[in-house]
């Protein structure tokens, strides 16, 4: 690994995709020692009808897939799961848990796939092998004891488990007696659900793949498609080739949004042909999108005034607004009262730049607004989303072909987990129907979100934690403080494919339960089973794993959840855990019974090429909001950061590199950003570097600028002069997570504000 840890920082000149992408995939296939022929066969099956759904991002699979419907990062994610490396009981016999805590995130996961259920033994500080029955019985016993206070146990889910497993998991928690079902969405697109329900009456985006073929303008806010949803580049490339303008707002010049060479096109690869993507690129300040979009909307009003004066066609779609919307007058008045000086200061963008983007918007008939973590992870994250909706509603760009709002989801089934009941907010779940279907009284009280869970662990009210995947302790804010309190838990159970840091900080009773991954064959009751997932566009499809399991001792996640429930809960003939796990199709029938409108004819329709779409009222211009209309919503401030500027205060955004999937670090190269061999960097504007008297390569600390008396510090970060707006700095997630105060979150959804963390730079 030493060759990789030699830091090199120099601008990357290539496009997204291209040969760089091929080389990067080849490197990981080699390192994971995957058998090449069978891996290529699996990659060929990725995102295909009758194949498996990629375990990386949630971008939809087209009805007519390419020969290889995968991307650089999807291939890496598959190789990471198909690896021939193994973490066996012998591995655990050789290393104490304390010793493993000194390993990096990369080295822990790189060690290979977990093969056997393990129990933590305090005396030897080691994980020791145990039998499945023993694990289920011991965990069940402890869960029964903790049920004296059913709210003391948390059921976390990370966003990968199938619809079938997720449905059973949510039911388990409710039968146990709580709605403590936080999931990774609480750190991710929770503001999307909360905001879209208020403004357009649905908790998900309105765009489907077909809209990309019929759009005539795309706006991109804070989403890095080239790294985090690279298959989307194919749709963007097609749009760009049709001459569709793509307008980007991002503090960084992300290469994946600038130009692309399609690695699946021999012609493009041989000639080095690059398709330029963004037609305008606006380097907005971190947290400056409310102001930027306000500038766009204000410009539209000016164009509309001008049109009315000259008798030309209106720029604002007044007819749409009158028929469909509420609150436009107030929004209009707010925009008119704003000064351009304030908009420029808060967005960091010039009036002329915003006006030129507004001109393009005004000419387009069907516009898509795409966004990601750059909008959600702020104190005013929900208001960022309201502003995108406001912009789209001004010209009737929701509920027509080629137009709509497009939150790009993270984990491959994170949206689906919510759909089938993994939700801490019981209002989102048809509890009455569950009560009838299963003959019990479901808990009605709001459950714990991710941040609530951390608070509960710190104040002692949470006693037990079950993790269905994920790396909770590495993904959450205020990492060091949460980790310190974690050891006081009575029970920690982690269901996982690979070893990570969250498995090394344990409660009194701790188990590590290894499961099959989605690419692998699932046999239950002697028969192969099929799973299903929901993508970013609310499209549901079957996923068939065929690869040889990493170990004979693995169980499916579905089986593990059912066995834990059986060991914990009194028998209930209305809840047929065994029937369900013997035939997953019966779980889909149960899902259909609970959600008949969403999952009509589930077992048949999931096989349609490209899947089937859940109904989405906003797409039909039916607005299920409190006013019965689509609501224009005025934000309380022009910046989303939640804090004021101060002389030595910087706004830190925590970033993903091109070589990671969340807390899974594949390697130390962030190719597109020109950073190689290290993740310990702080990206700074050259003027700020000079102003503070620093130099490139110098090691500094970041110190959180929160006034709650807690010292939060990350040391040893290398200063890198970078093209980033002044006053803003960038660092990697999860390394910078100790800097985020638990109380620093999006106000309406409690999503940690990981993109605008107030920090100081200390030498
Ligand atoms: N390969 C790979 N794929 C992934 C993941 C991964 O880690 N690796 N993670 C998955 C998950 S769970 C998720 S949620 C998604 C995440 O995918 P994205 O939503 O793309 O998330 P990030 O990479 O965290 O940040 C997105 C962009 O926001 C920009 N940004 C930061 N602050 C602001 C701001 O204030 N305004 C604007 N306009 N932009 C801003 C950053 O420069 C960055 O380009 O990807 C999923 N797919
Ligand atoms: N500072 C900062 N913090 C962030 C973010 C940020 O941008 N900045 N992003 C947030 C976001 S968007 C998210 S989604 C969260 C992610 O938080 P999590 O979802 O908790 O974390 P992951 O890194 O995705 O989890 C990786 C682990 O999942 C397990 N795993 C992988 N595949 C499977 C499987 O098929 N089954 C099971 N049971 N386990 C599996 C492996 O053991 C692996 O180690 O982090 C959040 N935290
Ligand atoms: Mo996410």
């Amino acid at each position: 690994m030493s060759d990789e840890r030699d830091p090199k920082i120099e601008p990357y000149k290539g496009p997204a995709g291209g040969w760089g992408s091929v080389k990067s995939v080849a490197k990981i296939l080699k390192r994971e020692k995957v058998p090449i022929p069978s891996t290529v066969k699996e990659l060929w099956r990725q995102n295909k009808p009758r194949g498996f759904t990629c375990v990386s991002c949630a971008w939809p699979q087209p009805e007519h897939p390419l020969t290889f419907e995968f991307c650089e990062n999807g291939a890496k994610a598959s190789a990471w799961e198909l690896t021939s490396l193994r973490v066996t009981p012998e591995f655990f016999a050789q290393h104490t848990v304390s010793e493993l805590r000194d390993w990096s995130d990369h080295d822990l996961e790189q060690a290979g796939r977990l093969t056997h259920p393990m129990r933590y033994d305090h005396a030897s500080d080691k994980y020791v092998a145990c039998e499945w029955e023993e694990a289920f019985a011991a965990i069940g016993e402890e869960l029964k004891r903790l049920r004296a206070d059913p709210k003391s146990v948390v059921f976390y889910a990370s966003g990968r488990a199938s619809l079938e497993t997720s449905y059973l998991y949510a039911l388990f928690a409710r039968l146990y007696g709580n709605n403590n079902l936080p999931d990774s969405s609480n750190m991710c697109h929770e503001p999307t659900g909360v905001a879209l329900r208020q403004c357009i009456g649905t908790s998900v985006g309105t765009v489907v793949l077909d809209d990309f073929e019929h759009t005539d303008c795309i706006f991109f806010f804070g989403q890095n498609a080239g790294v985090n949803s690279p298959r989307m580049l194919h749709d963007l490339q097609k749009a760009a080739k049709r001459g569709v303008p793509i307008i980007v707002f991002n503090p960084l010049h992300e290469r994946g949004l600038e130009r692309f060479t399609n690695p699946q096109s021999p012609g493009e690869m041989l000639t080095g042909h690059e398709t330029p993507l963004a037609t305008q690129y606006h380097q907005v300040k971190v947290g400056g999108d409310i102001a930027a979009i306000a500038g766009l909307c204000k410009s539209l009003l000016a164009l509309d005034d001008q049109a009315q004066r000259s008798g030309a066609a209106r720029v604002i779609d007044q007819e749409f607004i009158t028929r469909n919307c509420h609150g436009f007058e107030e929004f209009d008045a707010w925009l008119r009262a704003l000064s351009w000086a304030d908009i420029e200061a808060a967005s960091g963008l010039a009036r002329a730049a915003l006006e030129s983007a507004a001109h393009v918007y005004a000419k387009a008939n069907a516009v898509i607004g795409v966004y990601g973590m750059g909008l959600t992870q702020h104190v005013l994250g929900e208001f960022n989303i309201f502003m995108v909706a406001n912009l789209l509603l001004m010209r009737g760009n929701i509920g027509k072909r080629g137009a709509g709002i497009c939150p790009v989801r993270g984990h491959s089934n994170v949206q689906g987990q919510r759909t089938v009941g993994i939700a801490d907010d019981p209002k989102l779940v048809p509890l009455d129907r569950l009560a009838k279907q299963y003959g019990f009284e479901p808990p009605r009280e709001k459950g714990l979100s991710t941040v609530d869970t951390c608070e509960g662990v710190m104040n002692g009210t949470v006693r037990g934690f079950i993790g269905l995947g994920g790396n909770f302790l590495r993904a959450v804010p205020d990492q060091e403080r949460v980790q310190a309190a974690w050891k006081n838990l009575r029970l920690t159970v982690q269901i996982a494919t690979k070893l990570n840091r969250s498995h090394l900080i344990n409660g009194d009773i701790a188990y590590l339960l290894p499961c099959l991954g989605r690419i692998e064959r699932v046999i239950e009751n002697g028969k192969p089973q099929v799973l299903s997932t929901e993508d970013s566009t609310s499209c549901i499809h079957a996923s068939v794993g065929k690869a040889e399991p990493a170990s004979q001792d693995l169980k499916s996640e579905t089986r593990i959840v059912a066995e834990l429930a059986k060991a914990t809960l009194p028998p209930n003939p209305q809840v047929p855990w065994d029937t369900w796990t013997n035939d997953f199709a019966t779980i889909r029938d149960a899902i259909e019974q609970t959600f008949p409108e969403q999952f009509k004819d589930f077992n048949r329709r999931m096989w349609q090429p490209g899947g089937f779409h859940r109904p989405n009222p906003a797409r039909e211009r039916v607005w299920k909001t409190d006013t019965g209309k689509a609501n224009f919503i005025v934000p309380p401030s022009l910046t989303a950061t939640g804090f004021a500027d101060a002389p030595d205060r910087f706004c830190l955004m925590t970033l993903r590199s091109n070589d990671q999937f969340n807390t899974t670090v594949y390697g130390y190269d962030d190719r597109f950003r020109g950073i190689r061999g290290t993740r310990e960097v702080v990206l700074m504007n050259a003027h700020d570097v000079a102003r503070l008297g620093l130099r490139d390569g110098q090691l500094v600390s970041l110190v959180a600028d929160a006034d709650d008396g807690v010292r939060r510090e990350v040391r040893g970060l290398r200063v890198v002069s970078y093209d980033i707006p002044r006053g803003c700095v960038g660092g990697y997630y999860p390394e910078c997570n100790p800097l985020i105060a638990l109380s620093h979150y999006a106000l309406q959804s409690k999503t940690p504000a990981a993109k605008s963390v107030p920090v100081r730079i200390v030498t």
Side-chain angles (χ1 to χ4, degrees), residues 56-57 73 188 221-224 227-228 249-252 254 284-289 372-375 377-378 409-411 653-656 660-662 673 755:
S56 192
C57 80
N73 285 329
C188 183
F221 298 96
Q223 203 273 337
N224 189 9
V227 166
N228 296 320
F249 289 82
N250 195 310
L252 303 182
E254 303 285 29
V284 64
K285 262 176 36 180
V286 176
D289 300 85
M373 295 301 98
L375 289 203
Q377 293 175 334
H378 293 282
R409 297 278 167 167
H411 272 294
M653 53 173 164
T654 53
L655 296 164
R656 292 169 161 75
Q660 76 182 84
F661 188 93
N662 297 339
R673 299 202 185 107
K755 292 292 184 273

Side-chain angles (χ1 to χ4, degrees), residues 377-393:
Q377 293 175 334
H378 293 282
V379 172
L380 264 60
E382 293 84 11
F383 287 92
N384 274 332
I385 298 163
F386 292 144
M387 286 304 289
V388 178
N390 291 339
L391 173 69
L392 293 170
L393 289 171

